Amino acid sequence: MKKTIKLIDLDCANCAAKIENAVKKIDGITNASVSFMAQKMTLEAPDDKFSQVLDEAKAIIHKLEPDITIK
């Protein structure tokens, strides 16, 4: 499954890279990319693990950048 998530108030390219690197380390993730310019994150993971991966990704984003709103 592939899903794009909006990251509102993503402030810098360095923050985007930090989030992308951390999210890629989640167990079960196939691919992750964060676009600073588009303020979006694309996640790919198996359908049966996607919900768990998404929850972990959200937790990581809030830990690294608490001001970001995830839509």
Side-chain angles (χ1 to χ4, degrees):
M1 178 182 279
K2 184 175 184 179
K3 193 168 189 178
T4 302
I5 297 128
K6 186 110 173 102
L7 302 176
I8 299 168
D9 294 330
L10 179 60
D11 292 334
C12 66
N14 185 45
C15 301
K18 205 167 43 171
I19 291 168
E20 182 176 313
N21 289 334
V23 169
K24 281 184 175 180
K25 294 177 184 173
I26 295 173
D27 187 39
I29 198 142
T30 310
N31 193 19
S33 64
V34 178
S35 170
F36 164 63
M37 294 302 288
Q39 293 203 349
K40 291 182 181 177
M41 175 174 64
T42 303
L43 287 177
E44 286 183 55
D47 291 354
D48 59 331
K49 290 187 175 185
F50 195 83
S51 174
Q52 177 188 350
V53 166
L54 181 59
D55 289 342
E56 285 185 52
K58 287 179 179 180
I60 287 171
I61 292 167
H62 282 297
K63 182 178 177 189
L64 293 174
E65 297 296 327
D67 295 334
I68 291 177
T69 303
I70 302 167
K71 293 272 181 179

